[in-house]
Amino acid sequence: MILLLIIIFGILLIIVKYILPTFIRYLQLKKDYQNISFLPFSSIPFVGNLHLIDHRPYIFFQLMCRLSHECQIKEKGIFCLWYSLSPVLYICSANGLETFINNSKQLIKSFDYIFLQPWLKTGLVTSNNDKWRTRRRLITPSFHNTELLHGYMHIFNEQSFILADRFNKYSEQSYKTHDLYPCISACTLDIIAEAATGTHLKAQLDGEHNDFVQATVRIGDIINKRLRSPWLWPSCIFNRLPIGREHTKLLNILHSFSRKIIEERLVTFNAKQMINNDDDDDKKCTHRLVFLDCLLTQMQEKKLSFDDIHEEVDTFMFAGHDTTAAAINFFCYLMGCYPDIQSKVHTEMDMIFENDRNRPCTIEDIEQMTYLDCVIKECMRILPPVPFISREAQTDFIYRNQIVRKGTTVSIFIYGIHHDESVFPNPKTFDPERFLDNSFNQNQHSHYAFIPFSAGSRNCIGQRFAGLEERVVLSTLFRQFIFRSTQTIDQLHLSMDVILRPHVPIQMFIERRSL
Ligand code: HEM
């Protein structure tokens, strides 16, 4: 009898403490978001729109694009999807975005970033609140240090030439198509590894035999799969499955490799300090500085610990690798779709480099790349490497007359914002000139209408680095090659992983340009 009473009491407690408040909040949010829930008829009580989330990620992406377009036509700028009892709001218009993206109280990342934490712990991408603020303040100067950034030009050039050599082999088989992504991704991995840590990873030369390279590529696939599969979210289930065990094995490879790199650099760093403290100028060390040296200096000043540095190094490897690879791959693909524009890029490169296809690219060259600059921007508008970012609302706020409640996940749908026809007329038309004339800049919302690197204080810290890297790699490739694509964008079956990914690999013909 007593046991029965305890059980009844327990059940009542759970109902009163958890189920009832959740249900009341659900009803409240249902009411608050009814005007922006565009799929009310397909929303099943307690299931929401979950059943619409097709296991094929590109079908979900198509749904997102359709809803975003519908929402822009209705001039709402925001729509809601229900994941069971939880709503996720998607902002797909630049108008009003500044109230959220630039608000210092709204910088907290949403729940899904938690799946990056086993790898990145709480580095810049995944940390929040004071930890993020302090870190960002400490790390920003290194990414704004022009001398340091320009010092990376030799890395960008060296790796671009290796990439061009590999493409050269493909061009010898110009009768068939190639998936260039693995080569491009190995190149950007080599670049970030050397710039961040001073390590010569040799992913381009020896990638198949390098456990770290393989692990970096594979863990990305696993994280994306987990994000798309709610049944893999609870760690107690995930860790017991083969995919979870593989994840743990990869983490060990990644963490022990980056730990070793930092330890080795620390030894050289300390030795260098000793020499530099020495009065003898002849002995002073001249080896090139990398981001890791800046972090080690902070460690010496007791502002960062070894573990802090470890998570930031892993973060740079993650954030600086796939993003730039996607941008470069999409650029080559889009040039293959638009031969007239590609030919203008070739002309600009020939003019700047005076037909010299083998000399390294300099900062002065980059300053002259006005047309390439517009094409890069138009590529990132049409195919933004990071298609969305998410935060959790920390306070109630109003977005264009729509109340957004504290605790709601708010996704900024960058892809949708870049395809808003009120800002970019004929958004599917590839037109780099949009970024040349003033029409786009004159638009009152232009500041937040083109945000491939996000915006506000939590924007991409690596934006300048990525900009230089892309220009060196692309100017090297487009001095030497012609690309031809055979697939339309629709045929790529785009899907929203952490980065925008073609579900069907991009296949391109590649030819050497005649002299
Ligand atoms: C074309 C290349 C790149 C694109 C499109 C890109 C885009 C972005 C975007 C959209 C964000 C915001 C993410 C969010 O709010 O969740 C971001 C953040 C970040 N990016 Fe990039 N990124 C690129 C290259 C790089 C590179 C090369 C590095 C490092 C060297 C880097 C390091 C970071 C870091 C550390 C953050 C987190 C910043 C913070 O929260 O304070 N990114 N990036």
Side-chain angles (χ1 to χ4, degrees):
M1 184 64 186
I2 292 179
L3 187 67
L4 190 67
L5 278 176
I6 292 175
I7 291 174
I8 292 173
F9 181 74
I11 292 174
L12 280 175
L13 198 71
I14 291 174
I15 291 177
V16 171
K17 198 150 188 257
Y18 300 106
I19 300 182
L20 212 57
T22 310
F23 190 62
I24 291 170
R25 182 172 158 82
Y26 170 68
L27 292 179
Q28 170 74 48
L29 293 179
K30 265 285 192 218
K31 201 159 133 251
D32 287 337
Y33 300 150
Q34 65 183 351
N35 288 337
I36 51 168
S37 300
F38 292 163
L39 300 167
F41 301 115
S42 54
S43 172
I44 302 171
F46 303 110
V47 175
N49 306 119
L50 264 183
H51 61 296
L52 295 175
I53 301 174
D54 199 286
H55 69 280
R56 290 159 302 175
Y58 53 91
I59 303 285
F60 177 64
F61 183 70
Q62 285 163 9
L63 173 74
M64 292 289 296
C65 293
R66 185 166 68 74
L67 291 173
S68 162
H69 183 62
E70 214 172 288
C71 168
Q72 285 159 359
I73 290 172
K74 290 183 178 151
E75 293 191 1
K76 290 204 181 292
I78 190 164
F79 64 91
C80 171
L81 280 184
W82 286 87
Y83 296 79
S84 182
L85 302 185
S86 304
V88 175
L89 303 192
Y90 294 91
I91 295 182
C92 53
S93 161
N95 182 0
L97 181 58
E98 73 275 14
T99 54
F100 184 64
I101 204 167
N102 228 359
N103 184 338
S104 61
K105 292 196 190 111
Q106 306 286 12
L107 298 176
I108 307 294
K109 297 286 177 86
S110 62
F111 159 80
D112 34 349
Y113 287 76
I114 208 168
F115 301 120
L116 290 169
Q117 287 187 1
W119 180 14
L120 310 181
K121 306 278 190 285
T122 41
L124 263 191
V125 170
T126 38
S127 57
N128 285 316
N129 298 317
D130 286 348
K131 173 159 185 183
W132 170 77
R133 241 177 285 279
T134 319
R135 265 316 149 75
R136 178 87 189 200
R137 212 174 308 121
L138 281 177
I139 295 175
T140 297
S142 324
F143 279 90
H144 286 181
N145 180 335
T146 304
E147 207 183 323
L148 190 68
L149 287 177
H150 289 187
Y152 294 142
M153 289 294 283
H154 76 283
I155 304 177
F156 301 150
N157 273 299
E158 205 173 286
Q159 297 303 332
S160 302
F161 285 124
I162 298 176
L163 181 64
D165 273 351
R166 298 185 85 192
F167 278 12
N168 211 11
K169 298 214 171 69
Y170 284 148
S171 72
E172 285 160 12
Q173 301 169 326
S174 60
Y175 53 87
K176 66 174 192 181
T177 59
H178 305 275
D179 174 8
L180 305 177
Y181 191 76
C183 290
I184 296 174
S185 156
C187 173
T188 58
L189 188 56
D190 275 338
I191 289 176
I192 192 65
E194 192 173 345
T197 68
T199 304
H200 296 273
L201 201 54
K202 298 200 175 81
Q204 296 208 78
L205 299 175
D206 195 22
E208 321 70 281
H209 303 117
N210 185 322
D211 284 351
F212 177 78
V213 174
Q214 296 303 318
T216 309
V217 175
R218 179 68 189 133
I219 199 154
D221 294 342
I222 294 183
I223 293 170
N224 286 324
K225 181 154 191 199
R226 191 171 184 197
L227 273 167
R228 272 191 251 116
S229 322
W231 57 93
L232 296 178
W233 290 358
S235 297
C236 54
I237 299 177
F238 179 72
N239 291 339
R240 282 178 175 73
L241 297 173
I243 188 172
R245 287 199 289 273
E246 185 187 358
H247 183 252
T248 310
K249 208 173 108 199
L250 296 172
L251 286 178
N252 284 337
I253 297 174
L254 293 168
H255 286 151
S256 42
F257 188 85
S258 47
R259 174 166 283 273
K260 191 164 148 262
I261 290 177
I262 302 167
E263 281 165 357
E264 283 171 6
R265 191 80 187 180
L266 185 59
V267 173
T268 348
F269 180 84
N270 287 336
K272 196 179 85 177
Q273 293 298 113
M274 280 169 65
I275 294 173
N276 282 354
N277 288 338
D278 199 315
D279 282 344
D280 187 351
D281 271 356
D282 289 348
K283 278 203 253 160
K284 286 211 167 166
C285 192
T286 53
H287 91 180
R288 289 178 203 275
L289 280 182
V290 294
F291 286 132
L292 178 52
D293 297 318
C294 305
L295 300 179
L296 291 173
T297 310
Q298 312 267 15
M299 186 164 111
Q300 207 177 37
E301 292 165 8
K302 308 249 176 301
K303 291 179 186 156
L304 290 175
S305 68
F306 187 94
D307 288 343
D308 294 341
I309 293 181
H310 195 188
E311 58 191 17
E312 293 308 345
V313 165
D314 288 339
T315 296
F316 295 158
M317 297 300 289
F318 158 76
H321 151 229
D322 242 4
T323 44
T324 21
I328 294 168
N329 196 37
F330 286 143
F331 185 101
C332 296
Y333 161 72
L334 286 165
M335 290 305 90
C337 297
Y338 299 98
D340 294 351
I341 291 168
Q342 177 168 198
S343 147
K344 285 190 193 169
V345 170
H346 284 147
T347 308
E348 183 174 80
M349 292 305 113
D350 293 348
M351 200 190 67
I352 295 172
F353 291 90
E354 296 170 322
N355 294 319
D356 187 337
R357 297 190 174 167
N358 300 312
R359 79 162 168 82
C361 170
T362 63
I363 293 291
E364 292 69 39
D365 296 327
I366 289 180
E367 280 161 5
Q368 294 178 60
M369 296 176 185
T370 44
Y371 189 66
L372 184 80
D373 193 59
C374 296
V375 184
I376 288 178
K377 286 185 177 137
E378 182 64 346
C379 287
M380 291 220 262
R381 182 190 71 78
I382 292 256
L383 297 173
V386 180
F388 73 105
I389 54 177
S390 299
R391 300 199 183 152
E392 188 185 292
Q394 296 303 295
T395 52
D396 288 1
F397 72 98
I398 306 281
Y399 171 83
R400 289 169 66 174
N401 298 328
Q402 170 64 48
I403 179 88
V404 177
R405 293 287 178 200
K406 179 180 172 184
T408 304
T409 299
V410 181
S411 257
I412 299 167
F413 187 34
I414 297 177
Y415 183 96
I417 292 173
H418 286 185
H419 287 77
D420 183 349
E421 62 190 355
S422 69
V423 182
F424 300 104
N426 303 318
K428 288 191 171 172
T429 306
F430 189 83
D431 179 14
E433 315 270 325
R434 298 177 201 274
F435 290 94
L436 255 191
D437 66 30
N438 280 329
S439 62
F440 163 67
N441 292 330
Q442 275 162 6
N443 189 298
Q444 54 169 322
H445 310 306
S446 62
H447 207 52
Y448 297 96
F450 177 65
I451 49 166
F453 295 98
S454 182
S457 51
R458 246 200 130 157
N459 69 348
C460 175
I461 204 171
Q463 179 168 351
R464 279 184 70 195
F465 177 94
L468 288 177
E469 174 180 355
E470 259 196 271
R471 280 156 184 79
V472 175
V473 174
L474 292 172
S475 64
T476 307
L477 295 180
F478 281 80
R479 271 184 278 164
Q480 302 192 28
F481 301 104
I482 302 175
F483 298 85
R484 193 153 56 81
S485 311
T486 53
Q487 299 145 295
T488 62
I489 290 191
D490 287 343
Q491 286 168 339
L492 298 183
H493 285 174
L494 294 172
S495 59
M496 292 204 307
D497 284 339
V498 176
I499 63 160
L500 186 68
R501 229 177 256 287
H503 196 73
V504 175
I506 298 177
Q507 294 288 338
M508 272 177 270
F509 288 106
I510 174 164
E511 256 173 69
R512 270 200 84 76
R513 294 180 62 201
S514 50
L515 287 169

